[in-house]
Amino acid sequence: MGFKIYLAKPRGFCAGVERAIEILNLALKKFGSPIYVRHAIVHNERVVSEFEKKGVKFVEEVEHVPEGSILIFSAHGVSPDVRKIAENRNLRIIDATCPLVTKVHLEAKNYAKGNYTILLIGHKNHVETQGTMGEAPDRIIVIESEEDIKKVENRNLKKIAVITQTTLSVDDTKEIVERIKKRFENVEKPKADDICYATQNRQDAVKKISPFVDIFLIIGSKESSNSNRLKEIAEKYGTKAYLINDKNEIPLEEIKNASAIGITSGASTPEELVQEIIGELKSMGGEEIIEMEGTEEKIKFQLPPDLE
Ligand code: SF4
Protein backbone atom coordinates (compact mmCIF):
# COMPACT_ATOMS: atom_id res chain seq x y z
CA MET A 1 0.00 0.00 0.00
CA GLY A 2 1.27 3.48 -0.84
CA PHE A 3 1.89 6.27 1.66
CA LYS A 4 2.03 10.07 1.70
CA ILE A 5 5.20 12.01 2.45
CA TYR A 6 4.86 15.31 4.31
CA LEU A 7 7.88 17.51 3.87
CA ALA A 8 8.61 20.18 6.49
CA LYS A 9 9.41 23.75 5.53
CA PRO A 10 11.80 25.24 6.44
CA ARG A 11 14.26 22.40 6.90
CA GLY A 12 17.98 21.84 6.45
CA PHE A 13 20.74 24.40 6.20
CA CYS A 14 20.46 27.62 8.18
CA ALA A 15 22.37 30.80 7.39
CA GLY A 16 25.09 30.01 9.96
CA VAL A 17 25.80 26.59 8.45
CA GLU A 18 25.77 27.95 4.90
CA ARG A 19 28.24 30.62 5.93
CA ALA A 20 30.58 28.15 7.68
CA ILE A 21 30.61 25.83 4.65
CA GLU A 22 31.19 28.74 2.29
CA ILE A 23 34.07 29.99 4.44
CA LEU A 24 35.75 26.59 4.31
CA ASN A 25 35.24 26.28 0.55
CA LEU A 26 36.62 29.78 -0.05
CA ALA A 27 39.60 29.10 2.23
CA LEU A 28 40.37 25.92 0.30
CA LYS A 29 40.22 27.85 -2.94
CA LYS A 30 42.40 30.66 -1.65
CA PHE A 31 45.01 28.73 0.34
CA GLY A 32 44.76 25.12 -0.86
CA SER A 33 44.98 22.13 1.49
CA PRO A 34 45.70 21.24 4.19
CA ILE A 35 43.35 23.44 6.12
CA TYR A 36 42.64 22.63 9.74
CA VAL A 37 39.23 23.00 11.35
CA ARG A 38 38.70 22.94 15.07
CA HIS A 39 35.83 20.45 15.62
CA ALA A 40 33.40 19.39 12.85
CA ILE A 41 32.72 22.51 10.76
CA VAL A 42 29.01 21.69 11.24
CA HIS A 43 27.51 18.58 12.83
CA ASN A 44 26.98 16.42 9.78
CA GLU A 45 29.01 13.36 8.76
CA ARG A 46 28.41 13.81 5.01
CA VAL A 47 29.61 17.41 5.06
CA VAL A 48 32.68 16.50 7.12
CA SER A 49 33.67 13.52 4.98
CA GLU A 50 33.30 15.54 1.74
CA PHE A 51 35.68 18.13 3.17
CA GLU A 52 38.12 15.46 4.35
CA LYS A 53 38.33 14.26 0.75
CA LYS A 54 39.37 17.80 -0.23
CA GLY A 55 42.22 17.79 2.29
CA VAL A 56 40.59 19.38 5.32
CA LYS A 57 41.80 18.08 8.68
CA PHE A 58 39.43 18.19 11.64
CA VAL A 59 40.99 18.40 15.10
CA GLU A 60 39.56 18.75 18.59
CA GLU A 61 42.74 20.15 20.13
CA VAL A 62 44.29 23.25 18.64
CA GLU A 63 47.64 22.01 20.02
CA HIS A 64 47.57 19.38 17.25
CA VAL A 65 47.66 21.96 14.48
CA PRO A 66 51.19 22.53 13.10
CA GLU A 67 52.51 26.04 13.69
CA GLY A 68 51.91 28.48 10.87
CA SER A 69 48.89 26.54 9.48
CA ILE A 70 45.46 27.87 8.61
CA LEU A 71 42.87 27.11 11.26
CA ILE A 72 39.13 27.62 10.96
CA PHE A 73 36.89 27.74 14.00
CA SER A 74 33.67 25.78 13.43
CA ALA A 75 30.17 27.31 13.40
CA HIS A 76 29.75 26.40 17.08
CA GLY A 77 32.34 28.90 18.34
CA VAL A 78 35.27 28.56 20.72
CA SER A 79 36.17 29.79 24.17
CA PRO A 80 38.67 32.65 24.60
CA ASP A 81 41.20 30.07 25.90
CA VAL A 82 41.09 28.11 22.65
CA ARG A 83 41.44 31.34 20.69
CA LYS A 84 44.47 32.30 22.76
CA ILE A 85 46.18 28.93 22.27
CA ALA A 86 45.63 29.23 18.53
CA GLU A 87 47.06 32.75 18.45
CA ASN A 88 50.11 31.67 20.44
CA ARG A 89 50.79 28.92 17.90
CA ASN A 90 51.12 31.47 15.17
CA LEU A 91 48.15 30.09 13.23
CA ARG A 92 46.25 32.03 10.62
CA ILE A 93 42.75 31.99 12.09
CA ILE A 94 39.54 32.25 10.12
CA ASP A 95 36.45 32.38 12.28
CA ALA A 96 33.36 30.54 11.00
CA THR A 97 31.48 30.93 14.30
CA CYS A 98 27.83 31.65 13.56
CA PRO A 99 27.12 35.33 14.32
CA LEU A 100 24.16 34.21 16.44
CA VAL A 101 26.52 32.19 18.64
CA THR A 102 28.86 35.17 18.85
CA LYS A 103 25.88 37.23 20.04
CA VAL A 104 25.46 34.86 23.01
CA HIS A 105 29.21 35.09 23.78
CA LEU A 106 28.94 38.88 23.88
CA GLU A 107 25.94 38.68 26.22
CA ALA A 108 27.90 36.40 28.54
CA LYS A 109 30.83 38.81 28.54
CA ASN A 110 28.64 41.83 29.23
CA TYR A 111 26.71 40.20 32.04
CA ALA A 112 29.96 39.01 33.59
CA LYS A 113 31.28 42.58 33.49
CA GLY A 114 28.13 43.69 35.29
CA ASN A 115 28.80 41.12 38.04
CA TYR A 116 25.81 38.96 37.22
CA THR A 117 25.63 35.26 37.98
CA ILE A 118 24.82 33.87 34.55
CA LEU A 119 22.57 30.86 34.23
CA LEU A 120 23.39 29.37 30.84
CA ILE A 121 20.63 26.99 29.76
CA GLY A 122 22.25 24.41 27.53
CA HIS A 123 23.89 21.01 27.23
CA LYS A 124 27.12 20.75 29.22
CA ASN A 125 28.77 18.48 26.70
CA HIS A 126 27.85 20.48 23.64
CA VAL A 127 30.74 22.30 22.04
CA GLU A 128 28.75 25.56 21.73
CA THR A 129 27.93 25.64 25.44
CA GLN A 130 31.54 24.87 26.32
CA GLY A 131 32.67 27.80 24.17
CA THR A 132 30.18 30.19 25.77
CA MET A 133 31.12 28.93 29.25
CA GLY A 134 34.70 29.91 28.55
CA GLU A 135 33.75 33.58 28.33
CA ALA A 136 33.20 33.74 32.10
CA PRO A 137 33.79 30.36 33.73
CA ASP A 138 33.60 31.81 37.25
CA ARG A 139 30.28 33.49 36.65
CA ILE A 140 28.42 30.96 34.51
CA ILE A 141 26.38 28.03 35.81
CA VAL A 142 25.10 25.63 33.16
CA ILE A 143 21.46 24.62 33.58
CA GLU A 144 20.68 21.50 31.65
CA SER A 145 17.39 20.51 33.25
CA GLU A 146 14.93 21.47 35.97
CA GLU A 147 17.07 19.34 38.32
CA ASP A 148 19.95 21.77 37.87
CA ILE A 149 17.75 24.66 39.01
CA LYS A 150 17.33 22.90 42.36
CA LYS A 151 21.09 23.12 42.84
CA VAL A 152 21.02 26.92 42.62
CA GLU A 153 17.63 27.55 44.22
CA ASN A 154 18.98 27.80 47.72
CA ARG A 155 21.85 30.04 46.87
CA ASN A 156 21.60 33.69 47.69
CA LEU A 157 22.13 34.99 44.18
CA LYS A 158 21.44 38.72 43.83
CA LYS A 159 21.98 39.61 40.19
CA ILE A 160 20.97 36.89 37.78
CA ALA A 161 21.01 36.79 34.02
CA VAL A 162 19.74 33.97 31.84
CA ILE A 163 21.22 33.15 28.45
CA THR A 164 20.85 29.98 26.39
CA GLN A 165 22.41 27.74 23.80
CA THR A 166 21.06 28.61 20.34
CA THR A 167 19.62 25.20 19.46
CA LEU A 168 17.37 24.25 22.36
CA SER A 169 13.70 23.32 22.47
CA VAL A 170 11.77 26.59 22.57
CA ASP A 171 9.02 25.13 24.79
CA ASP A 172 11.29 23.35 27.29
CA THR A 173 13.48 26.42 27.62
CA LYS A 174 10.46 28.63 28.27
CA GLU A 175 9.49 26.33 31.16
CA ILE A 176 12.98 26.43 32.66
CA VAL A 177 13.11 30.24 32.38
CA GLU A 178 9.70 30.53 34.05
CA ARG A 179 10.89 28.39 36.92
CA ILE A 180 14.03 30.50 37.35
CA LYS A 181 11.90 33.68 37.33
CA LYS A 182 9.60 32.24 39.97
CA ARG A 183 12.49 31.52 42.26
CA PHE A 184 14.56 34.66 41.74
CA GLU A 185 13.56 38.29 41.42
CA ASN A 186 14.90 40.60 38.76
CA VAL A 187 16.14 38.01 36.34
CA GLU A 188 17.74 39.71 33.36
CA LYS A 189 17.35 38.31 29.87
CA PRO A 190 18.72 39.49 26.56
CA LYS A 191 16.20 41.48 24.50
CA ALA A 192 16.26 39.07 21.57
CA ASP A 193 15.96 35.31 22.06
CA ASP A 194 19.17 33.31 22.11
CA ILE A 195 17.45 30.29 20.55
CA CYS A 196 18.02 31.15 16.93
CA TYR A 197 15.44 31.79 14.21
CA ALA A 198 16.41 28.59 12.35
CA THR A 199 15.89 26.39 15.42
CA GLN A 200 12.53 28.02 16.12
CA ASN A 201 11.29 27.76 12.52
CA ARG A 202 12.28 24.08 12.16
CA GLN A 203 10.54 23.23 15.42
CA ASP A 204 7.36 25.05 14.32
CA ALA A 205 7.39 23.11 11.04
CA VAL A 206 7.58 19.77 12.90
CA LYS A 207 4.67 20.77 15.14
CA LYS A 208 2.61 21.61 12.04
CA ILE A 209 3.15 18.24 10.35
CA SER A 210 2.99 15.92 13.37
CA PRO A 211 -0.83 15.61 13.45
CA PHE A 212 -0.87 14.31 9.87
CA VAL A 213 1.77 11.59 10.02
CA ASP A 214 2.31 8.15 11.58
CA ILE A 215 6.05 8.49 11.85
CA PHE A 216 8.60 11.26 11.48
CA LEU A 217 12.04 10.89 9.95
CA ILE A 218 14.42 13.56 11.18
CA ILE A 219 17.45 13.60 8.93
CA GLY A 220 20.52 14.68 10.80
CA SER A 221 23.54 13.63 12.76
CA LYS A 222 23.29 12.16 16.27
CA GLU A 223 25.65 14.95 17.35
CA SER A 224 23.40 17.69 16.02
CA SER A 225 21.64 19.42 18.89
CA ASN A 226 18.89 21.02 16.81
CA SER A 227 18.15 17.69 15.05
CA ASN A 228 17.78 15.92 18.39
CA ARG A 229 15.35 18.60 19.52
CA LEU A 230 13.25 18.08 16.37
CA LYS A 231 12.98 14.39 17.21
CA GLU A 232 11.91 15.18 20.77
CA ILE A 233 9.28 17.64 19.55
CA ALA A 234 7.76 15.15 17.10
CA GLU A 235 7.61 12.64 19.97
CA LYS A 236 6.08 15.20 22.31
CA TYR A 237 3.35 15.72 19.71
CA GLY A 238 2.62 12.00 19.76
CA THR A 239 4.50 10.86 16.66
CA LYS A 240 7.09 8.13 16.65
CA ALA A 241 10.28 9.74 15.40
CA TYR A 242 13.64 8.52 14.14
CA LEU A 243 16.83 10.52 13.82
CA ILE A 244 18.60 9.08 10.78
CA ASN A 245 21.83 10.00 9.05
CA ASP A 246 21.02 8.70 5.59
CA LYS A 247 18.90 6.26 3.58
CA ASN A 248 20.66 3.25 5.12
CA GLU A 249 19.04 4.06 8.45
CA ILE A 250 15.43 4.22 7.24
CA PRO A 251 13.38 2.13 9.72
CA LEU A 252 12.02 -0.35 7.16
CA GLU A 253 9.53 -2.17 9.38
CA GLU A 254 7.90 1.07 10.52
CA ILE A 255 7.58 2.35 6.95
CA LYS A 256 5.66 -0.75 5.93
CA ASN A 257 2.83 0.06 8.32
CA ALA A 258 2.68 3.82 7.79
CA SER A 259 0.14 5.67 5.69
CA ALA A 260 1.84 9.07 6.11
CA ILE A 261 5.47 9.89 6.87
CA GLY A 262 6.86 13.26 7.96
CA ILE A 263 10.31 14.36 6.87
CA THR A 264 12.49 17.17 8.07
CA SER A 265 16.19 17.82 8.42
CA GLY A 266 18.38 19.58 10.95
CA ALA A 267 20.12 22.88 10.30
CA SER A 268 23.39 21.15 9.35
CA THR A 269 21.90 18.52 7.00
CA PRO A 270 22.47 18.91 3.25
CA GLU A 271 19.32 18.80 1.09
CA GLU A 272 20.91 16.03 -1.02
CA LEU A 273 20.43 13.64 1.94
CA VAL A 274 16.75 14.56 2.11
CA GLN A 275 16.33 13.97 -1.61
CA GLU A 276 18.15 10.61 -1.41
CA ILE A 277 15.77 9.51 1.33
CA ILE A 278 12.71 10.71 -0.57
CA GLY A 279 13.96 8.75 -3.61
CA GLU A 280 14.27 5.64 -1.47
CA LEU A 281 10.83 6.15 0.06
CA LYS A 282 9.30 6.54 -3.39
CA SER A 283 10.71 3.16 -4.35
CA MET A 284 9.07 1.73 -1.23
CA GLY A 285 5.58 3.04 -1.96
CA GLY A 286 5.80 6.80 -1.29
CA GLU A 287 3.20 8.25 -3.63
CA GLU A 288 2.24 11.81 -2.91
CA ILE A 289 4.73 14.42 -1.63
CA ILE A 290 3.16 17.29 0.25
CA GLU A 291 5.45 20.20 1.08
CA MET A 292 3.87 22.18 3.90
CA GLU A 293 3.77 25.98 3.91
CA GLY A 294 6.28 27.47 6.30
CA THR A 295 8.30 30.56 7.18
CA GLU A 296 10.45 31.87 4.34
CA GLU A 297 14.02 32.34 5.53
CA LYS A 298 15.95 35.11 3.82
CA ILE A 299 18.73 35.62 6.35
CA LYS A 300 22.28 35.62 5.02
CA PHE A 301 25.34 36.40 7.10
CA GLN A 302 28.37 38.31 5.90
CA LEU A 303 31.60 36.48 5.24
CA PRO A 304 34.86 37.44 6.97
CA PRO A 305 36.31 40.43 5.06
CA ASP A 306 39.44 38.66 3.82
CA LEU A 307 37.34 35.95 2.13
CA GLU A 308 34.65 38.10 0.53
S1 SF4 B 1 21.41 26.70 14.05
FE1 SF4 B 1 21.19 28.88 14.46
S2 SF4 B 1 22.93 29.40 15.77
FE2 SF4 B 1 23.37 27.41 14.83
S3 SF4 B 1 24.54 27.90 13.01
FE3 SF4 B 1 22.39 27.84 12.40
S4 SF4 B 1 21.66 29.96 12.56
FE4 SF4 B 1 23.57 29.80 13.70
Side-chain angles (χ1 to χ4, degrees):
M1 205 183 71
F3 53 83
K4 288 181 185 168
I5 299 171
Y6 284 81
L7 207 45
K9 192 176 168 203
R11 61 178 181 276
F13 281 2
C14 59
V17 164
E18 274 180 355
R19 176 177 179 270
I21 290 175
E22 199 177 350
I23 287 174
L24 187 45
N25 274 322
L26 288 172
L28 274 168
K29 210 163 152 191
K30 186 165 177 179
F31 305 107
S33 60
I35 284 188
Y36 290 81
V37 179
R38 198 262 179 180
H39 197 70
I41 184 77
V42 301
H43 282 152
N44 185 269
E45 280 88 344
R46 172 77 62 93
V47 174
V48 167
S49 77
E50 290 298 322
F51 275 124
E52 278 173 338
K53 285 182 208 151
K54 294 181 189 171
V56 175
K57 295 184 187 308
F58 294 93
V59 296
E60 291 304 318
E61 306 296 337
V62 171
E63 288 87 341
H64 295 159
V65 181
E67 292 218 6
S69 305
I70 292 159
L71 174 68
I72 296 185
F73 292 144
S74 77
H76 317 95
V78 295
S79 68
D81 280 354
V82 170
R83 208 173 274 275
K84 202 172 282 161
I85 297 168
E87 282 164 6
N88 290 342
R89 288 184 71 73
N90 189 27
L91 303 174
R92 176 161 185 171
I93 297 166
I94 303 171
D95 194 353
T97 303
C98 175
L100 299 182
V101 174
T102 304
K103 166 186 166 285
V104 181
H105 279 237
L106 291 175
E107 288 161 2
K109 256 204 274 203
N110 287 336
Y111 283 130
K113 260 191 219 151
N115 290 328
Y116 283 85
T117 297
I118 303 161
L119 304 182
L120 166 57
I121 306 173
H123 299 281
K124 292 183 181 94
N125 294 330
H126 193 274
V127 65
E128 180 192 320
T129 293
Q130 289 167 350
T132 310
M133 265 291 282
E135 292 292 351
D138 302 337
R139 298 226 144 255
I140 295 181
I141 301 168
V142 179
I143 303 289
E144 207 165 48
S145 62
E146 298 234 350
E147 276 304 296
D148 287 330
I149 303 176
K150 283 189 195 146
K151 291 182 204 152
V152 292
E153 262 176 352
N154 297 328
R155 289 174 57 178
N156 186 22
L157 302 174
K158 295 256 158 28
K159 284 175 89 179
I160 292 189
V162 174
I163 59 174
T164 82
Q165 195 180 315
T166 56
T167 50
L168 301 179
S169 151
V170 174
D171 297 337
D172 293 353
T173 306
K174 210 183 253 171
E175 277 173 30
I176 293 181
V177 172
E178 282 313 311
R179 173 124 182 228
I180 293 170
K181 278 184 174 168
K182 249 188 219 157
R183 167 58 188 86
F184 297 102
E185 283 168 17
N186 303 326
V187 176
E188 282 278 329
K189 264 185 84 229
K191 280 194 187 72
D193 263 3
D194 289 333
I195 299 180
C196 77
Y197 78 96
T199 299
Q200 300 195 20
N201 290 344
R202 279 151 193 70
Q203 291 179 10
D204 288 345
V206 165
K207 289 177 192 172
K208 213 183 226 176
I209 289 183
S210 286
F212 300 106
V213 299
D214 305 308
I215 64 165
F216 225 121
L217 302 182
I218 316 292
I219 308 165
S221 158
K222 308 281 180 283
E223 262 200 303
S224 157
S225 170
N226 77 87
S227 302
N228 277 291
R229 301 299 78 79
L230 295 177
K231 176 175 182 280
E232 286 168 10
I233 285 162
E235 285 167 346
K236 210 167 167 180
Y237 277 69
T239 313
K240 208 161 183 188
Y242 297 85
L243 178 58
I244 61 171
N245 253 317
D246 56 33
K247 60 183 180 183
N248 300 320
E249 295 181 5
I250 294 175
L252 301 175
E253 281 307 308
E254 299 287 340
I255 300 287
K256 271 186 206 159
N257 303 320
S259 60
I261 296 171
I263 292 192
T264 190
S265 53
S268 44
T269 306
E271 180 63 14
E272 66 182 43
L273 284 169
V274 177
Q275 294 307 323
E276 283 171 20
I277 286 171
I278 291 176
E280 197 69 12
L281 290 177
K282 275 187 184 163
S283 73
M284 295 164 69
E287 285 168 347
E288 195 184 346
I289 299 179
I290 302 153
E291 185 161 24
M292 301 295 274
E293 285 295 309
T295 312
E296 286 288 337
E297 292 180 341
K298 294 192 178 131
I299 293 179
K300 193 163 167 41
F301 296 128
Q302 269 197 327
L303 294 168
D306 54 343
L307 286 179
E308 276 211 280

